[in-house]
Amino acid sequence: RLSRPAPGEGKIVKRSHAMPFGAAIEADGRVRFRLWAPAAKTVDVALTVDGRRRTLPMAAAGDGWFDLHSDACRPGDKYVYLIDGKDAVPDPASRFQPEDVHGPSEIVDPDAFDWPDDDWRGRPWEEAVIYELHVGSFTPEGSYAGAMAKLDHLAALGVTAIELMPLAESPGGHNWGYDGVEIFAPEERYGRPEDLKALIAAAHARGLMVLLDVVYNHFGPEGNYLHRYAPQFFNERHHTPWGAAINFDAPGSRTVRDFYIHNALYWLNEYHFDGLRFDAVHTIADDGQPHFLDELAARIAAACAGRQVHLVLENDDNNPHYLERDGEGRPRTYTAQWNDDVHHALHAAIAGETKGYYADYADDPVGHLGRALTQGFAYQGESSAHRGGRERGRPSGHLPPTAFVSFLQNHDQVGNRAFGDRITGHVPAAAVCAAAAIILLAPSPPMLFMGEEWGAKEPFPFFCDFEPGLADSVREGRRREFARFPEFADPAARARIPDPVALSTFASAALDWGGHDISPHGDWLAFYRGLIDLRRREIVPRLRDLTGNESHYRTNGEGALFAEWRLADGAKLNLIAGLIEKPLTINPVGPPGRLIFSTAPDEARRTMLRTLPAWFVAWYLDGGKERA
């Protein structure tokens, strides 16, 4: 029996996270301002109250801190910090930026919002079916309210969690979210903080978890003023693709660590998110002890006891250290990791992808897929040609499948393509169906990308909005990135790549909901709903307390994959797949259990399987009772 909570109305509660910096409402009604500015001689708060500007000096409090307690302002008033009497900067811990990253910050009272979900404690991770979305392009409105209006669709689809791409305030009118510079301020172009809270509360009322993608490896290139008054926030000794690394291990790093730890706790507690997805943690440079990621996980665990809070990594290093389980099978630090290996191997198999990072999988895509599905990572210490021969990964077969999130599409894997085209635009529908059936019924938690469930045709190209000089650099950099591919060797071909800073590029990504439930889109929708419902009935109840070292795979070297997992109730889940565009002759094999799904049911039920139809997938359960 699943532990999905019945939607209900808990008592009204208030939620706020106490931060040692920024603007906070005190018990006596005054506002406390606190800023770390070790490179500043003086700091003032410039307030705008009832249209009038007033400047108040902050007191130096030692170790680079400046403080002020004031009764001259209230929630809704705007403010900036004046550094050395001249440079006006927003609060790096601003709770809201109503006029974008260069404008003033707004004083926000978190207790002004009434939370109706006091009875919500989250959902177990094994129930996770994740739906990733970008708030700005998920609906025509491009807002928190627009997303809230689609929650009934997501609940009916059967997903159990929505994952929001980053919401930290970033410059301009449109952005993926990974260029955020005000990491405590939810993106103003989507609505106010209370609109985001209303979306989360409404999701909880429908039994949906809400996860947030956060970026702790860099700040965006525009609107970051920290270099002016807190250069210790960065460490020139470590360099990343974005320049000097965030300082997690040099002098001043204690404050920097606390800044990010409080950011995580702020989203989890003040906004009641059910988990966080941490972007590209392999680019977080830290030679200190404990490593920032270990300290972060420990602080979250202590602060969120009694709740189901899930921490998910993106980590190109394939390092299983952060995914280890304790003696009772519970995550020691992080719950799971996005498994790019599954995606890359699947695409190499069904789309014939061989360029870029797909080159590492082109030699044996089905074999790589089998290893990733059953053993976690496909690369567990082997040499990666795409990475210049560097060894990648460590053994991961001892981890349970629930430590890995699988997907056929996500924002990166669609958006990293030159035109942001979805897989349904360049791969036969039968092949996509086969791949989706593998992703949605394998034990690992699956993730969908918005619109995938109805075969949306809208692309998801890379888009951003920067000031003119930076915009030119981004535009040319994007085209240079694809110059190494033969099809873009000609400058005229590169010129056809969508301009990432053009409004039309962003507009092209907005999902068209008209006819999403009418054929042919309705056929895709029914297919996805059926698979997710089958997962809920037959797979999820057998995943709790699942362990590792209980699965294996084999291939025939021609496109056939045979995989087996022993599930927590002792049943065996078996997969037989033929990932090739023509019938495939195999050594005769009997159906390994009760058939629960197949792309070709009649063939899958034969006493002996000798030929697999094109793009064939069949799932069987051996030893498990059929679930209603």
Side-chain angles (χ1 to χ4, degrees):
R1 180 172 176 270
L2 301 188
S3 58
R4 174 172 178 164
E9 293 187 2
K11 66 179 181 180
I12 298 299
V13 294
K14 306 291 187 177
R15 293 193 171 95
S16 63
H17 176 67
M19 295 189 293
F21 33 68
I25 312 296
E26 299 186 303
D28 60 4
R30 294 191 302 168
V31 179
R32 181 223 66 195
F33 298 92
R34 196 159 191 257
L35 177 71
W36 189 57
K41 296 178 181 177
T42 65
V43 179
D44 302 305
V45 176
L47 294 166
T48 301
V49 180
D50 296 329
R52 297 181 179 180
R53 184 166 172 130
R54 180 179 181 184
T55 301
L56 303 174
M58 299 182 74
D63 295 327
W65 289 98
F66 291 82
D67 286 322
L68 171 67
H69 299 261
S70 174
D71 58 5
C73 52
R74 59 188 182 273
D77 291 338
K78 299 180 178 65
Y79 67 101
V80 295
Y81 293 120
L82 292 179
I83 307 300
D84 295 333
K86 56 182 179 179
D87 295 332
V89 300
D91 188 344
S94 167
R95 279 180 162 90
F96 190 50
Q97 289 294 117
E99 300 174 34
D100 207 19
V101 298
H102 300 294
S105 305
E106 180 179 314
I107 300 170
V108 172
D109 180 8
D111 286 340
F113 186 82
D114 293 333
W115 284 92
D117 61 348
D118 183 53
D119 58 346
W120 176 262
R121 295 293 181 271
R123 299 184 64 156
W125 180 245
E126 68 269 13
E127 297 178 6
V129 178
I130 307 163
Y131 188 97
E132 186 192 23
L133 65 89
H134 176 266
V135 173
S137 52
F138 180 52
T139 65
E141 300 85 356
S143 65
Y144 302 125
M148 187 164 66
K150 299 301 183 185
L151 291 177
D152 287 338
H153 164 83
L154 298 179
L157 175 62
V159 300
T160 61
I162 58 175
E163 180 175 318
L164 306 181
M165 288 175 63
L167 299 178
E169 186 71 36
S170 54
H174 50 273
N175 198 290
W176 270 20
Y178 297 90
D179 296 310
V181 292
E182 292 283 351
I183 69 172
F184 291 83
E187 182 54 65
E188 51 81 23
R189 69 181 70 102
Y190 304 149
R192 291 189 54 82
E194 54 266 29
D195 297 322
L196 173 58
K197 293 174 182 179
L199 167 62
I200 296 168
H204 290 168
R206 290 162 174 80
L208 296 170
M209 297 184 284
V210 189
L211 314 178
L212 178 64
D213 197 341
V214 294
V215 182
Y216 292 171
N217 50 48
H218 77 291
F219 285 100
E222 181 184 345
N224 173 22
Y225 294 92
L226 286 164
H227 291 279
R228 167 64 182 85
Y229 58 86
Q232 294 91 331
F233 223 93
F234 306 92
N235 185 353
E236 292 287 350
R237 187 164 58 87
H238 300 302
H239 283 269
T240 74
W242 307 281
I246 303 294
N247 176 21
F248 289 115
D249 60 0
S253 62
R254 181 66 266 162
T255 300
V256 178
R257 283 180 173 236
D258 287 342
F259 185 80
Y260 284 100
I261 288 169
H262 278 282
N263 183 254
L265 297 177
Y266 165 79
W267 292 120
L268 293 170
N269 292 330
E270 192 160 307
Y271 280 82
H272 214 200
F273 277 99
D274 299 284
L276 303 171
R277 180 264 189 186
F278 300 91
D279 179 67
V281 299
H282 54 278
T283 62
I284 291 177
D286 181 9
D287 294 333
Q289 292 295 328
H291 191 281
F292 167 70
L293 290 174
D294 290 312
E295 182 181 1
L296 176 64
R299 292 281 295 274
I300 291 173
C304 298
R307 291 173 56 193
Q308 298 274 358
V309 170
H310 309 298
L311 308 181
V312 181
L313 300 174
E314 179 194 22
N315 187 356
D316 188 65
D317 287 342
N318 280 9
N319 184 353
H321 162 74
Y322 297 112
L323 305 175
E324 297 294 347
R325 269 46 183 170
D326 64 17
E328 297 182 4
R330 295 172 301 194
R332 292 185 183 276
T333 49
Y334 291 85
T335 312
Q337 174 177 321
W338 278 19
N339 197 345
D340 282 346
D341 284 350
V342 166
H343 172 273
H344 298 347
L346 256 180
H347 275 245
I350 70 172
E353 303 272 14
T354 60
K355 299 169 186 172
Y357 42 64
Y358 294 115
D360 278 352
Y361 306 84
D363 61 326
D364 182 14
V366 175
H368 287 297
L369 175 63
R371 192 182 199 197
L373 287 172
T374 61
Q375 308 297 322
F377 300 130
Y379 275 79
Q380 301 183 24
E382 291 79 12
S383 172
S384 164
H386 175 65
R387 293 163 181 79
R390 176 170 61 86
E391 291 183 358
R392 178 180 179 229
R394 295 290 183 271
S396 56
H398 62 290
L399 296 170
T402 46
F404 304 91
V405 176
S406 297
F407 42 85
L408 180 58
Q409 301 182 73
N410 66 25
H411 75 272
D412 267 334
Q413 305 308 333
V414 177
N416 283 347
R417 303 178 69 83
F419 297 98
D421 52 313
R422 295 169 179 264
I423 192 170
T424 43
H426 56 90
V427 172
V432 177
C433 286
I438 290 174
I439 293 293
L440 289 171
L441 296 180
S444 295
M447 184 176 73
L448 313 182
F449 184 59
M450 61 179 197
E452 176 183 342
E453 73 274 22
W454 76 75
K457 297 184 181 300
E458 291 76 32
F460 191 74
F462 175 66
F463 50 79
C464 58
D465 185 13
F466 293 128
E467 55 84 20
L470 183 57
D472 290 340
S473 298
V474 171
R475 182 185 300 111
E476 292 309 311
R478 176 74 171 171
R479 289 171 178 166
R480 252 195 330 271
E481 180 183 344
F482 289 97
R484 65 182 185 273
F485 293 95
E487 61 266 40
F488 295 110
D490 183 353
R494 294 197 296 277
R496 293 196 297 272
I497 296 174
D499 179 354
V501 298
L503 181 59
S504 58
T505 301
F506 165 62
S508 73
L511 290 182
D512 180 1
W513 287 79
H516 78 280
D517 54 354
I518 300 173
S519 185
H521 299 298
D523 300 330
W524 281 106
L525 185 56
F527 178 71
Y528 270 77
R529 281 178 174 168
L531 285 172
I532 294 172
D533 184 62
L534 179 60
R535 178 184 186 85
R536 177 189 63 80
R537 291 185 285 109
E538 294 282 12
I539 309 300
V540 170
R542 299 179 165 93
L543 297 182
R544 178 168 292 188
D545 302 323
L546 194 62
T547 60
N549 292 320
E550 295 285 349
S551 56
H552 60 269
Y553 76 98
R554 62 184 176 87
T555 71
N556 71 347
E558 298 178 359
L561 172 63
F562 307 87
E564 177 185 285
W565 296 260
R566 183 176 292 279
L567 303 182
D569 67 347
K572 291 181 180 179
L573 178 67
N574 292 279
L575 167 66
I576 298 178
L579 298 179
I580 189 170
E581 60 186 351
K582 60 184 179 181
L584 181 64
T585 300
I586 62 172
N587 292 328
V589 58
R594 170 173 57 88
L595 178 69
I596 61 171
F597 172 83
S598 181
T599 53
D602 290 341
E603 185 68 32
R605 289 191 182 94
R606 293 184 183 277
T607 304
M608 295 297 290
L609 284 75
R610 293 178 170 83
T611 302
L612 305 183
W615 307 122
F616 175 80
V617 169
W619 285 98
Y620 305 85
L621 269 170
D622 181 17
K625 294 182 179 180
E626 186 172 358
R627 307 269 176 152

